[in-house]
Amino acid sequence: FMIYVMRRYTVLLLLFLCCGCVAAGERLYYSAPSAIPGTIRQMKSPGFWISRNAFPDKVVISPSGIQAFNDRIMTGLGLTRDIRGISDPYPGNDLIRDIEGQLTGLAGVKLYLKDGSLAGADFYGRIRMNADLAAIPPGIKLLYGFISEYADLRVLPVHDGLYAKAFDLDFDELQNSALDMTTPVAILHKSRDKKWFYVVSATASGWAEASNVVTCGRAELNDYFNRDDFAVVISPKADIYLDPRLTEYYDFVQMGTKLIVKAVDPGESARVIIPMRGGDGSAIFKICYMNKADLNMGYLVYTPRTVIQQAFKLLNAPYGWGGMYGEQDCSRFIQQVFGTVGLILPRNSSAQADSGIMLGEFNGFNNSDAEKNKLLAEKASGGTVILYMKGHIILYLGMEGGRPYGIHSAWGYRDGNTVRVINRVVVSDLDLGRGSKRGSLLSRIKAIRFIAN
């Protein structure tokens, strides 16, 4: 029995699992084997890779240096944003240009709706009307707020998806990112139907459902940034409860999320401060409860051991394009893991590839695999280096048997002419894909970056 799955640029018309029958469109893809080629059982444990690191407990960036790294990414490179430094009033024409650019760009490409029909002028016309560009003033008076529930960040103010190929529903072109509860945002605009806010966070901007955003004053926002009584989530998903017995479920937050801590109780729970919605949409800060095993007071110390251990907590976690379904794609995986040590990395893999210290930059197939292999073996340390290729990014783990390995949130790989779908966080060697028309992961590497000052 073979499992067939969808991928971007693939048409899958119908999938019947009953009686083992499969009906599909122009191409069918196969699932990857449970044991990824080139791996053995022991490689799926962090200890295997920690033992191969010469200095697993060496501090890569001191706690005092973390802020300097983040400042360089933000102010020096402009890859992230301090929302407190956004111009107020914000130039309305800049926002109009950005939204108009998204609308025009998407309308100029053949994209499909969920039912398989092409998105036409009527679809974009409705969205343009709801975006209410005419209501944007020359100078926008900023509002501030917090994400109060996990929020998809949309390219346009609409739930409907747009897909590069019909029925390719796991790859929504309108899914820009997702923001966890407690994320601070600047609010620039509201849709005509009042159901969407255009928000800016440190790492992404777009439309979030207004019901998932609460407003606050500048003083409350500054208080969040200035407090040192905080914890970071170190579990893949950490549940939040409304009662100290941890029985009244509220929501979950993902690894790397920063939370203000009111107190750590003698039992299993910790009290955290969560922004919730008041009657007028403003923030009401309430005490909620979490299992303290899901939290670390302050950030973890940045060592190879720390990063590798955190990465392996997400092993086998499902892939989620742009944070869809509350999961993570390749770049969000990198963000979450390094977020536990306090590093704020950009949202997209291409921007992440501009972070840190360049160890090697390559021009596709013009550089030999042997050259990259040698560089990784001699200069790269597992848990501190990211490997960038167009559209994908990997956390380097180390060498084994003369071959480099990494851990990454992967949708799939090519096995000759066959595409095999992984759809989860896996450990793999960089030979994956060798012999296919796209080449191996190693051959496709464009940049090797050491995440350090």
Side-chain angles (χ1 to χ4, degrees):
F1 179 75
M2 292 178 292
I3 301 173
Y4 295 97
V5 291
M6 302 182 297
R7 176 60 172 111
R8 200 172 192 175
Y9 311 119
T10 302
V11 178
L12 184 55
L13 298 179
L14 190 59
L15 174 62
F16 291 107
L17 294 180
C18 58
C19 303
C21 299
V22 177
E26 63 185 37
R27 185 188 294 176
L28 298 175
Y29 289 168
Y30 297 83
S31 64
S34 297
I36 300 299
T39 64
I40 59 174
R41 174 182 60 84
Q42 293 90 336
M43 290 179 178
K44 294 186 283 187
S45 170
F48 181 91
W49 300 106
I50 291 168
S51 71
R52 281 151 179 77
N53 193 299
F55 304 100
D57 297 308
K58 181 180 179 180
V59 176
V60 183
I61 305 177
S62 68
S64 61
I66 294 291
Q67 188 59 53
F69 179 94
N70 290 337
D71 287 344
R72 187 168 66 84
I73 295 295
M74 181 181 296
T75 59
L77 300 175
L79 300 177
T80 59
R81 300 184 76 165
D82 182 349
I83 64 170
R84 295 167 298 174
I86 295 175
S87 175
D88 188 6
Y90 185 86
N93 285 338
D94 287 359
L95 181 59
I96 292 171
R97 184 191 63 237
D98 291 344
I99 297 173
E100 191 68 62
Q102 295 285 6
L103 279 163
T104 303
L106 290 165
V109 180
K110 184 184 288 187
L111 295 171
Y112 295 84
L113 300 174
K114 186 175 182 179
D115 63 4
S117 64
L118 280 170
D122 58 336
F123 175 81
Y124 293 107
R126 289 195 302 272
I127 295 175
R128 185 183 300 276
M129 181 177 295
N130 196 36
D132 206 12
L133 301 185
I136 298 176
I140 300 169
K141 178 63 177 174
L142 290 186
L143 290 175
Y144 297 100
F146 292 95
I147 300 299
S148 57
E149 295 182 42
Y150 186 87
D152 289 324
L153 203 58
R154 307 289 288 167
V155 177
L156 298 175
V158 64
H159 290 295
D160 298 331
L162 287 178
Y163 310 95
K165 287 291 181 177
F167 306 109
D168 192 7
L169 304 185
D170 279 342
F171 290 86
D172 181 358
E173 302 294 328
L174 296 186
Q175 182 73 10
N176 182 32
S177 187
L179 300 177
D180 263 302
M181 183 190 311
T182 76
T183 301
V185 294
I187 303 167
L188 302 186
H189 184 49
K190 183 181 283 190
S191 62
R192 182 182 293 243
D193 64 7
K194 312 301 182 187
K195 293 181 178 180
W196 299 88
F197 281 136
Y198 190 95
V199 303
V200 179
S201 74
T203 60
S205 59
W207 297 89
E209 285 188 84
S211 59
N212 293 336
V213 182
V214 294
T215 60
C216 71
R218 178 80 181 220
E220 292 166 313
L221 191 80
N222 284 331
D223 181 60
Y224 169 87
F225 283 100
N226 294 333
R227 294 180 68 155
D228 55 12
D229 54 341
F230 70 89
V232 65
V233 174
I234 57 174
S235 297
K237 292 183 176 69
D239 292 328
I240 295 176
Y241 297 88
L242 298 175
D243 69 308
R245 294 177 58 243
L246 307 182
T247 58
E248 296 180 45
Y249 177 74
Y250 177 64
D251 204 344
F252 71 80
V253 286
Q254 294 177 311
M255 180 184 291
T257 303
K258 174 184 172 182
L259 298 167
I260 303 302
V261 176
K262 181 71 173 177
V264 177
D265 297 326
E268 295 183 355
S269 66
R271 282 175 276 173
V272 294
I273 300 174
I274 300 296
M276 295 186 180
R277 174 171 293 275
D280 61 354
S282 63
I284 296 177
F285 296 91
K286 292 193 174 182
I287 301 297
C288 291
Y289 302 84
M290 299 179 68
N291 190 320
K292 61 188 179 186
D294 292 328
L295 301 170
N296 185 78
M297 290 303 298
Y299 293 118
L300 297 170
V301 178
Y302 179 17
T303 66
R305 182 190 299 272
T306 296
V307 173
I308 292 170
Q309 287 178 332
Q310 288 303 125
F312 272 82
K313 289 181 180 182
L314 286 161
L315 186 68
N316 295 319
Y319 179 91
W321 170 263
M324 288 175 65
Y325 320 124
E327 304 298 345
Q328 56 285 308
D329 56 18
C330 62
S331 55
R332 177 59 178 154
F333 167 72
I334 296 293
Q335 274 189 321
Q336 288 176 301
V337 171
F338 282 100
T340 63
V341 299
L343 296 177
I344 303 172
L345 293 179
R347 166 68 185 95
N348 296 321
S349 59
S350 58
Q352 290 178 358
D354 289 331
S355 307
I357 300 169
M358 180 69 77
L359 298 182
E361 193 168 16
F362 309 97
N363 184 20
F365 291 95
N366 294 332
N367 302 94
S368 70
D369 286 0
E371 179 185 354
K372 297 173 185 177
N373 226 49
K374 184 172 184 290
L375 188 152
L376 287 169
E378 294 179 354
K379 294 187 177 181
S381 173
T384 67
V385 168
I386 55 176
L387 313 174
Y388 168 71
M389 56 212 68
K390 186 176 180 180
H392 193 55
I393 200 155
I394 296 171
L395 175 66
Y396 176 65
L397 287 174
M399 304 291 292
E400 176 62 20
R403 291 187 293 176
Y405 282 77
I407 182 169
H408 49 132
S409 185
W411 187 86
Y413 67 96
R414 291 182 182 271
D415 178 9
N417 293 325
T418 301
V419 174
R420 297 195 178 275
V421 174
I422 297 172
N423 209 36
R424 67 187 192 277
V425 175
V426 293
V427 172
S428 75
D429 68 14
L430 301 188
D431 265 356
L432 206 63
R434 187 172 299 282
S436 69
K437 63 182 181 181
R438 294 192 70 189
S440 68
L441 294 174
L442 186 62
S443 67
R444 292 164 51 203
I445 288 176
K446 298 175 72 66
I448 300 173
R449 283 274 187 173
F450 177 29
I451 301 302
N453 287 329

